[in-house]
Amino acid sequence: MRIFVSIKQVPDADDLRIDPVTNNLVREGVPAVINPPDLHAIEEGIRLRERYGGKVIVITMGPPQAENALREAIAMGADEAYLITDRSMAGADTWATSYTLYKAIKKIGEGDIYLFGRRAVDGETEQVGPQTGKWLGIPSVGYVSKFIEIGEGKAKVIRTVENEEEEIEVPLPAVFTVLETINKPREPDILSLIKSKTVKIPKLSKDDIGAEPNKIGLAGSPTKVIKVHPPPKTRNPEIYRGNDAPQWVYDKIVKSLKEVNEVKETYVKPQPKAKVNGEIWVYIDHTGDEVNRVSWEIMSEGRRIADLLDTKLAGVIVGDDEVKPIIKEAFNYGVDKVYHARVKGFPFYINDVYTRALSKVIKKYKPEAIFFPGTRNSRELASTTAIEVDTGLIADCVSFDVDEKGIIYSTRPDFGGKEMSTIICPNHKPVMITVRGGVFYPIKIPKEGEIIVEEIEDLSTKFRVLNYTKLQKRNVLAEADIVIGVGRGIKSPENIKLAEELASVLNGVVGVSKPLADMGWYPKERQIGQTGTTIRPKLYIALGVSGAVQHLVGISGARRIIAINIDPEAPIFQNCDYGIIGDIFEVVPELIKIVKEKGVPQ
């Protein structure tokens, strides 16, 4: 059995910093590392070889120095490694990258299993795996949490997304993207490290793999990065230091909750900047008859973009008749029409069927742009559909604008939020974009509209769902209105009881920073941050949290942030609404007494 593992080398985000003069990201001298989620793909490849035999072949596309990442993979236990490198490949987006990997695989010799890490930490794309599978013409299974069995030309795996878990059987060859929870990557031993230094690593150029020049690198990429800039300052902190800090904090809690509980159902239509022929679509993600809230969040932004481009807004949904109530509900959020790609007998997402269905309506009705909620199913569907309809896909965006030519400017955070990239897709339609959840808010704009049903005739699939489970375990962090965050300033795991008591009187929940979760002081599922849970509460209160970048990314969607820290230089004070310079062990007990006495607004 031949097991391919595709990896990426990225700058070490922990060593990236902002130049205080230029406000640009400093990259010089920053070491490169294997994209952390790819370590889990390497580990799983080695484990599959240990169970079933075969060979693990690691590949990467990158500059000559990316050879170091391949040697690290060899040290972990991979058998072979190939570096695809050529100056003309530089600047590739995921479309061009996946095409290049496909051509390289064809040159090296195809495999049985192709493994990818879930995401790239520099851009949060989650696209290259599914797109490579699409180029290869084989099934792609995303978000694999367990390999159950491989045999008789098939693989049985567990696929886990936000609200559901499936046991899936799929024929080989196939692509699998693996979750970070699937395993713990091994540390190389000294003999393996020595061996990795002398292993010959073949290098393949564009000519070696027979790549078409207009499909690789920057020139072949449908999407273009036109601007890189520091993240904007979105909060104006009010910092306080005084003996009556507990009362001051309480007053700010009351003020914050009153402000964020105000419901806004008004929409001010902007003046058009341009006129386009195609419509703006928003993909409506659902699990059976339940819609994912992020679909309604981004509908409001879709309405604004449609009005700026003087065109209509449409929802598009794939599913059987169970989606009819969702279609009706969509007209509460400002859509002019809804396209229903009806796939009889498929109430739940299956990649090949849903890709075929969505691609059909795109090719027939030719929208200007499609916005996808940043859920796991939607990200995977957008990735494979982009290859099917031959267009670019911009990932994980948080803000948008348009110009007088009708070009959509999409901005996303990179490197854990240390910089922002603004990206366009100037020559391919539709522009396809995944949008981060928890950034926009639904706005109710009730109206009547048209429903267009497209029957999908080809319902063949390579996937067989053996078992389906709707996950009952709720992500309390993601759903909480009030979150009490705990950082290193809490000093010991026993002291977290103080945060739990504050959470109890405020009807909130406790979350922790990454170091506390890594040390086992609190359950891992309560970790807040880029590699934990991204939260969007009405109020976030940070106790002894310094404000590392990966934590700030996770709390950026909070409506109000209150920070209590004894260190006046803590970065959290530049990223909160209200800050108290004080000892949490003095402030919080008194705050709890005041809350118990006076209560809080509901």
Side-chain angles (χ1 to χ4, degrees), residues 253-525:
I253 290 173
V254 172
K255 181 176 186 292
S256 297
L257 292 176
K258 284 182 177 178
E259 289 173 347
V260 301
N261 282 331
E262 293 178 1
V263 178
K264 295 182 180 180
E265 297 193 0
T266 58
Y267 170 72
V268 179
K269 183 177 180 179
Q271 289 296 316
K273 287 187 177 182
K275 172 68 177 175
V276 297
N277 294 323
E279 300 166 339
I280 301 298
W281 287 8
V282 172
Y283 177 73
I284 303 172
D285 182 43
H286 65 100
T287 302
D289 60 356
E290 294 183 13
V291 71
N292 191 301
R293 173 190 161 88
V294 186
S295 303
W296 303 147
E297 291 177 5
I298 66 175
M299 200 69 82
S300 60
E301 187 65 2
R303 178 71 269 170
R304 187 180 73 89
I305 297 299
D307 290 336
L308 286 171
L309 295 175
D310 196 17
T311 189
K312 291 185 176 181
L313 173 67
V316 58
I317 190 165
V318 182
D320 203 345
D321 291 337
E322 81 289 341
V323 303
K324 287 181 178 179
I326 298 174
I327 293 172
K328 183 178 179 181
E329 187 179 0
F331 288 106
N332 288 327
Y333 296 96
V335 299
D336 300 297
K337 61 176 72 171
V338 174
Y339 294 92
H340 175 196
R342 185 169 180 263
V343 285
K344 190 174 181 180
F346 288 89
F348 298 99
Y349 170 79
I350 291 290
N351 178 260
D352 53 3
V353 174
Y354 274 49
T355 299
R356 198 178 306 123
L358 183 58
S359 299
K360 178 182 177 181
V361 292
I362 290 172
K363 291 175 181 178
K364 182 173 181 178
Y365 295 100
K366 297 179 172 54
E368 181 74 15
I370 310 174
F371 293 82
F372 291 81
T375 59
R376 289 181 176 178
N377 284 344
S378 291
R379 285 174 180 265
E380 183 181 71
L381 176 62
S383 300
T384 50
T385 302
I387 301 300
E388 182 72 23
V389 302
D390 190 22
T391 193
L393 175 58
I394 307 170
D396 202 40
C397 296
V398 297
S399 66
F400 304 93
D401 200 359
V402 303
D403 66 13
E404 67 280 357
K405 296 180 180 179
I407 294 176
I408 298 175
Y409 293 76
S410 305
T411 299
R412 76 176 189 204
D414 291 332
F415 299 106
K418 290 189 177 181
E419 72 176 18
M420 308 294 284
S421 294
T422 298
I423 307 170
I424 62 174
C425 184
N427 301 315
H428 291 70
K429 296 290 168 61
V431 180
M432 292 176 57
I433 306 157
T434 64
V435 185
R436 180 178 291 191
V439 175
F440 301 102
Y441 290 83
I443 299 177
K444 289 203 170 181
I445 316 169
K447 63 194 305 182
E448 295 183 358
E450 180 183 8
I451 300 172
I452 299 169
V453 180
E454 286 288 332
E455 294 287 345
I456 308 302
E457 302 297 334
D458 183 1
L459 299 175
S460 60
T461 179
K462 294 180 179 179
F463 298 84
R464 185 179 169 212
V465 179
L466 304 177
N467 189 35
Y468 174 88
T469 304
K470 187 173 180 181
L471 297 178
Q472 299 300 315
K473 184 178 179 181
R474 296 167 64 89
N475 188 330
V476 294
L477 270 182
E479 297 174 359
D481 285 336
I482 298 175
V483 176
I484 311 301
V486 183
R488 289 180 185 269
I490 203 69
K491 296 183 179 178
S492 73
E494 292 77 20
N495 291 335
I496 297 178
K497 291 178 181 178
L498 183 65
E500 291 175 331
E501 187 177 358
L502 179 59
S504 176
V505 297
L506 290 174
N507 296 315
V509 300
V510 172
V512 298
S513 62
K514 185 176 185 297
L516 272 62
D518 289 344
M519 291 187 292
W521 286 16
Y522 220 62
K524 192 73 174 176
E525 61 266 22

Side-chain angles (χ1 to χ4, degrees), residues 86-236:
D86 198 301
R87 285 184 178 274
S88 61
M89 295 174 184
D93 68 0
T94 59
W95 190 99
T97 298
S98 59
Y99 167 78
T100 304
L101 292 175
Y102 149 69
K103 294 297 289 185
I105 289 166
K106 287 288 189 180
K107 173 67 177 179
I108 296 166
E110 296 181 47
D112 304 289
I113 290 176
Y114 300 87
L115 299 175
F116 291 76
R118 174 176 69 90
R119 63 193 178 102
V121 298
D122 52 352
E124 298 293 324
T125 56
E126 303 188 21
Q127 296 169 11
V128 174
Q131 292 189 330
T132 303
K134 192 66 179 172
W135 283 111
L136 288 166
I138 60 178
S140 176
V141 184
Y143 311 107
V144 173
S145 57
K146 182 179 181 181
F147 278 85
I148 300 174
E149 182 182 11
I150 294 174
E152 300 179 355
K154 299 176 182 178
K156 291 181 183 178
V157 301
I158 300 293
R159 179 179 187 272
T160 304
V161 295
E162 292 88 348
N163 302 310
E164 55 192 300
E165 193 168 83
E166 301 164 313
E167 181 181 340
I168 292 179
E169 182 181 84
V170 65
L172 299 179
V175 164
F176 304 90
T177 65
V178 300
L179 295 176
E180 290 90 323
T181 55
I182 195 169
N183 57 44
K184 181 179 180 180
R186 67 192 68 191
E187 293 291 335
D189 58 47
I190 187 65
L191 292 178
S192 298
L193 285 168
I194 294 171
K195 173 189 172 185
S196 71
K197 300 297 183 183
T198 59
V199 168
K200 180 175 175 57
I201 296 180
K203 298 178 176 62
L204 301 174
S205 69
K206 66 175 175 57
D207 294 329
D208 292 329
I209 64 176
E212 298 177 43
N214 63 344
K215 291 184 177 179
I216 61 173
L218 182 62
S221 298
T223 65
K224 314 289 182 186
V225 177
I226 61 167
K227 182 181 179 183
V228 177
H229 53 96
K233 191 172 180 62
T234 57
R235 301 181 192 271
N236 185 26

